[in-house]
Amino acid sequence: MSTEPKTLFEKVWEQHVVVEPKGEPTVLYIDLQLLHEVTSPQAFEGLRLAGRKVRRTDRCIATVDHNVPTTIEGRLHIVDQIAATQIATLRKNCAEFGIELYDVDSREQGIVHVIGPELGITKPGMTIVCGDSHTSTHGAFGALAFGIGTSEVEHVLATQTLPQSTPKTFRISVEGELPKGVTAKDIILAIIGQIGTDGATGCVVEYAGSAIRALSMEGRMTICNMSIEAGARAGLVAVDETTIEYLRGRAGVPAGDDFEEATARWRSFITDDDAVFDQTVTISAADLVPFVTWGTNPAQVVSLDGVVPNPADFADPDVASTTERSLTYMGLTAGTRIKEIPVDVVFIGSCTNSRIEDLRAAAAVARGHRVAASVRALVVPGSHRVKSQAESEGLDQVFLEAGFEWREPGCSMCLGMNPDQLSPGQRSASTSNRNFEGRQGRGGRTHLVSPVVAAATAILGRFATPDEVSS
Amino acid sequence: MKAVHVIEGRAVPLERADVDTDQIIPSDWLKRVERTGFGRGLFSEWRDDPTFVLNDAQFAGATVLVAGPRFGTGSSREHAVWALMDYGFETVIAPSFGDIFRNNSSKQGLVIAQLSVRDVEELVALIHEDPSRLVVVDVESLQVEVPEAGWLRSFILDPMTRERLLNGWDDIGLTLIHEGEITSFESTSHAPTLTGLFDDAGHVLTR
């Protein structure tokens, strides 16, 4: 091993190289695979057809999140037979291949990217994959975590490795102090808005700088979660005391002397001084404001105090025509003030923003207020553990008294695969990660926002910042 | 995976940028447990529009899809690749692609040919001039050609993906050549497993 300064990414990568065949991609060892009902059935079927086994059942864990209804009644009797079959198929596959499953009725069930960290299964320095592009969430712990397709899910089940070409490294530093009311979600929306949906293609991004250091693990997860929206393979944050304190006492984390021993190793998962990145960008935290997306890709962001952009303002004809098309789909007129746009639905949830801190922040805004009569508002905790924690703090009552629906854990309205969907033409303020056409239901119009903006918007019935909601 | 050498067929110009995988195959289709039959769901939200290019009879039976920049961004769903192939596409030509989509394509034998924005614009113009023109994508020589118009461009494909396409190699089989190395890596790895995390009922043990 050389003593050259290394990036966090390089350290994790090097420790997982099984073999580097000449002229071929590196065979990279995968410490953990997370599985869910949507992207796994064809992978298990592939194993069956080839007569292959799961190589390491002790490195796989499964749960159901994408399809599951988020009402108790809905979960008892899943009406959508195709969804019910997919869930039953995961159950059957996990039993057949010997993989632990957090089923619909398990107290550990939840969104796959929420339960990994909260159970302490996600740890620094690991390689983690899942058939879901938001796997980058786990990078907040200094783990190399990335989304894969179903063929790769099968590959990891069979070999516990993946052939990988070496990505490029990209450091995004956010320096300084965030203004009041500006959150981790606004940081990542600002980054995507600045570098674009392909700004980090082929790269593993490390988020660094004093504003990232100051964030909680929940905030760091929100940022790493949306790395893919800038095209990145993965997002990372270096290990520090915040990481270690989050992990202390969690189920999957060693206790006592073993914990101290583990932390000594975890602390090495940082980027060395003078390590070189292929690309760097620095953003000033003090310049950030609450953001909202106005269009149909996550780079189309604007300040809450801004206006809907005008296609004519873009010199590039391609950008102008994309803008035009987005505005048509979104049913918006150029020049309209964002804060004058009414919404029909508010969704607080998803692997981006459904953790306890997100719910606390939203509840603090909603407390003592009423959701506008014209708005349907849902709060969907990311997991049963988040839900229980929130209930023990009385957050469910805050939301219910304000007129929000309080739901069972799952992906819910993030992606239109379960009963929680927008109707055609409905407009949402959503704490999720994608505003693509039809993402939350056919014809639905999605605006991405932070949990506090979502809560304020629910109360005022139009896009709003928390300071507009009197306390 | 079937070996792919040369793709020769008519092309459809999609002329849209930022076609994410939610557009290629909407999530409603992802509930299926099969690998086949996704062609009906391809671009399904757009196909209701009679003016959508795939509904134009002169492009029926095309095997080459020509798209704008950032094709296949977003969700990791391999269903996007299955849908394109089930519909009949054998290759996608565009100025840039989402990483996971590109990976997924290589596993299924959908050929990803990346050309510059300008080259794609030229190709689209050639197709509009005469939609019956044949477009040739050659994995051997890494070239896109419109023979009738004397138009020829090279594209880059990583050497391993090219080899795998040309030979139709199974990725898992290739990796298992290194099974000895995997086993020896495992014997020295300190990475934690999930052993001891659960009680007999499958619940996570609390510490």
Side-chain angles (χ1 to χ4, degrees):
Chain A
M1 286 239 181
S2 75
T3 53
E4 266 179 48
K6 287 179 184 144
T7 65
L8 164 58
F9 160 75
E10 287 160 347
K11 290 179 186 181
V12 182
W13 177 274
E14 284 175 7
Q15 291 186 16
H16 290 85
V17 172
V18 173
V19 57
E20 293 174 288
K22 205 170 155 46
E24 292 176 31
T26 299
V27 177
L28 196 71
Y29 197 76
I30 303 302
D31 293 327
L32 175 69
Q33 172 154 237
L34 306 162
L35 297 149
H36 62 85
E37 73 276 24
V38 176
T39 54
S40 67
Q42 296 88 351
F44 283 111
E45 185 60 19
L47 290 183
R48 223 173 267 122
L49 289 172
R52 286 173 176 140
K53 288 187 166 61
V54 175
R55 183 179 177 90
R56 294 293 298 263
T57 53
D58 58 345
R59 295 193 180 280
C60 304
I61 193 123
T63 192
V64 284
D65 53 9
H66 285 62
N67 277 352
V68 290
T70 60
T71 59
I72 290 172
E73 179 60 20
R75 290 156 98 91
L76 288 173
H77 312 283
I78 299 178
V79 178
D80 181 340
Q81 284 310 303
I82 308 174
T85 299
Q86 197 167 52
I87 291 168
T89 302
L90 180 65
R91 203 170 284 146
K92 184 173 76 77
N93 284 330
C94 286
E96 180 182 335
F97 287 93
I99 292 171
E100 200 65 49
L101 166 69
Y102 300 137
D103 210 334
V104 186
D105 57 356
S106 162
R107 64 186 184 218
E108 279 89 15
Q109 180 266 338
I111 304 175
V112 66
H113 308 310
V114 174
I115 66 171
E118 77 181 1
L119 295 173
I121 296 172
T122 299
K123 287 184 275 288
M126 290 175 77
T127 47
I128 301 174
V129 297
C130 175
D132 187 284
S133 60
H134 294 112
T135 308
S136 55
T137 310
H138 307 264
F141 291 81
L144 177 61
F146 50 95
I148 57 178
T150 297
S151 291
E152 292 176 309
V153 170
E154 182 183 342
H155 198 115
V156 176
L157 287 171
T159 72
Q160 206 57 41
T161 67
L162 270 182
Q164 287 286 299
S165 51
T166 317
K168 290 191 166 21
T169 55
F170 187 173
R171 183 179 61 203
I172 300 180
S173 304
V174 188
E175 299 287 357
E177 207 173 317
L178 285 177
K180 194 168 177 291
V182 179
T183 68
K185 184 65 164 282
D186 302 303
I187 295 179
I188 190 62
L189 287 175
I191 289 170
I192 301 162
Q194 181 170 332
I195 71 174
T197 56
D198 58 356
T201 300
C203 300
V204 168
V205 174
E206 180 175 341
Y207 301 96
S210 57
I212 302 293
R213 299 259 72 84
L215 290 175
S216 65
M217 289 313 294
E218 283 87 348
R220 295 176 189 183
M221 283 189 256
T222 297
I223 289 179
C224 287
N225 173 274
M226 290 186 71
S227 300
I228 181 73
E229 289 2 300
R233 276 301 265 159
L236 291 168
V237 174
V239 173
D240 63 6
E241 290 312 308
T242 304
T243 324
I244 287 166
E245 286 315 308
Y246 178 96
L247 288 166
R248 189 188 294 277
R250 294 197 182 260
V253 170
D257 288 349
D258 291 345
F259 181 74
E260 297 312 318
E261 200 182 301
T263 58
R265 219 166 41 78
W266 293 343
R267 283 181 219 277
S268 70
F269 293 109
I270 55 169
T271 287
D272 297 331
D273 292 343
D274 303 325
V276 179
F277 289 82
D278 294 307
Q279 204 177 336
T280 58
V281 160
T282 301
I283 287 171
S284 163
D287 295 342
L288 301 181
V289 296
F291 287 107
V292 54
T293 61
W294 53 265
T296 54
N297 78 57
Q300 293 172 319
V301 298
V302 64
S303 157
L304 258 287
D305 285 322
V307 299
V308 174
N310 191 332
D313 293 345
F314 297 97
D316 183 333
D318 286 342
V319 178
S321 79
T322 303
T323 301
E324 182 91 59
R325 191 182 149 74
S326 294
L327 292 186
T328 304
Y329 180 83
M330 294 298 287
L332 292 173
T333 308
T336 307
R337 285 187 58 215
I338 295 293
K339 285 186 173 174
E340 287 172 0
I341 301 170
V343 306
D344 306 302
V345 175
V346 169
F347 169 58
I348 298 176
S350 87
C351 59
T352 313
N353 280 126
S354 65
R355 297 179 180 83
I356 188 65
E357 185 183 273
D358 300 315
L359 304 191
R360 284 176 189 146
V365 175
R367 188 181 296 274
H369 294 284
R370 288 289 304 171
V371 169
S374 55
V375 172
R376 177 189 178 204
L378 292 86
V379 183
V380 187
S383 70
H384 274 295
R385 289 191 176 214
V386 170
K387 183 166 183 267
S388 307
Q389 177 67 31
E391 287 171 353
S392 75
E393 295 176 20
L395 304 184
D396 57 327
Q397 287 310 312
V398 174
F399 286 122
L400 287 166
E401 281 164 18
F404 288 84
E405 297 172 35
W406 179 248
R407 294 298 195 89
E408 297 297 305
C411 297
S412 184
M413 203 181 267
C414 177
L415 85 168
M417 284 198 69
N418 54 70
D420 303 339
Q421 299 198 18
L422 294 181
S423 308
Q426 272 192 328
R427 186 179 304 286
S428 79
S430 174
T431 66
S432 55
N433 40 55
R434 287 189 176 134
N435 52 344
F436 297 155
E437 289 181 27
R439 172 75 180 182
Q440 293 189 291
R442 198 174 179 132
R445 294 160 170 167
T446 304
H447 297 265
L448 305 176
V449 293
S450 71
V452 290
V453 167
T457 299
I459 290 154
L460 292 177
R462 45 109 183 142
F463 287 103
T465 42
D467 55 293
E468 295 179 76
V469 180
S470 58
S471 53
Chain B
M1 179 169 97
K2 273 204 313 205
V4 190
H5 292 267
V6 179
I7 294 156
E8 191 178 296
R10 282 174 300 109
V12 189
L14 194 57
E15 294 179 88
R16 286 186 198 203
D18 299 291
V19 177
D20 56 74
T21 53
D22 274 79
Q23 307 317 313
I24 299 172
I25 184 86
S27 61
D28 204 36
W29 283 84
L30 271 53
K31 296 173 194 164
R32 305 173 74 250
V33 296
E34 300 84 10
R35 215 182 258 263
T36 53
F38 287 95
R40 282 184 297 128
L42 180 69
F43 301 124
S44 67
E45 302 219 356
W46 294 344
R47 275 160 77 185
D48 285 351
D49 173 2
T51 67
F52 181 55
V53 67
L54 286 199
N55 295 326
D56 188 335
Q58 63 185 343
F59 296 118
T63 55
V64 179
L65 181 67
V66 184
R70 298 173 297 278
F71 186 85
T73 50
S75 158
S76 65
R77 56 188 72 170
E78 194 162 313
H79 312 65
V81 177
W82 301 336
L84 286 160
M85 295 187 79
D86 192 52
Y87 184 86
F89 289 115
E90 296 172 26
T91 179
V92 184
I93 302 171
S96 59
F97 295 88
D99 263 352
I100 307 179
F101 175 80
R102 183 196 293 268
N103 257 338
N104 290 342
S105 299
S106 78
K107 312 287 173 190
Q108 297 300 316
L110 181 70
V111 177
I112 296 302
Q114 186 166 339
L115 295 180
S116 69
V117 172
R118 198 175 151 183
D119 287 343
V120 169
E121 282 169 1
E122 286 180 14
L123 180 59
V124 167
L126 290 172
I127 298 164
H128 279 304
E129 265 174 34
D130 180 0
S132 70
R133 272 177 172 152
L134 285 185
V135 175
V136 180
V137 176
D138 189 330
V139 181
E140 202 106 42
S141 65
L142 297 179
Q143 285 174 327
V144 178
E145 190 180 4
V146 185
E148 191 239 13
W151 189 88
L152 184 72
R153 295 290 182 275
S154 293
F155 66 96
I156 294 171
L157 201 60
D158 77 87
M160 192 59 196
T161 300
R162 178 174 167 275
E163 280 299 297
R164 286 181 31 251
L165 287 170
L166 290 173
N167 292 290
W169 281 333
D170 163 30
D171 242 19
I172 296 178
L174 282 181
T175 294
L176 287 175
I177 293 170
H178 303 292
E179 187 160 15
E181 283 121 317
I182 297 172
T183 304
S184 108
F185 180 93
E186 285 177 326
S187 69
T188 58
S189 167
H190 300 296
T193 66
L194 301 174
T195 306
L197 185 63
F198 315 101
D199 65 18
D200 292 341
H203 290 310
V204 167
L205 294 167
T206 43
R207 287 178 199 277

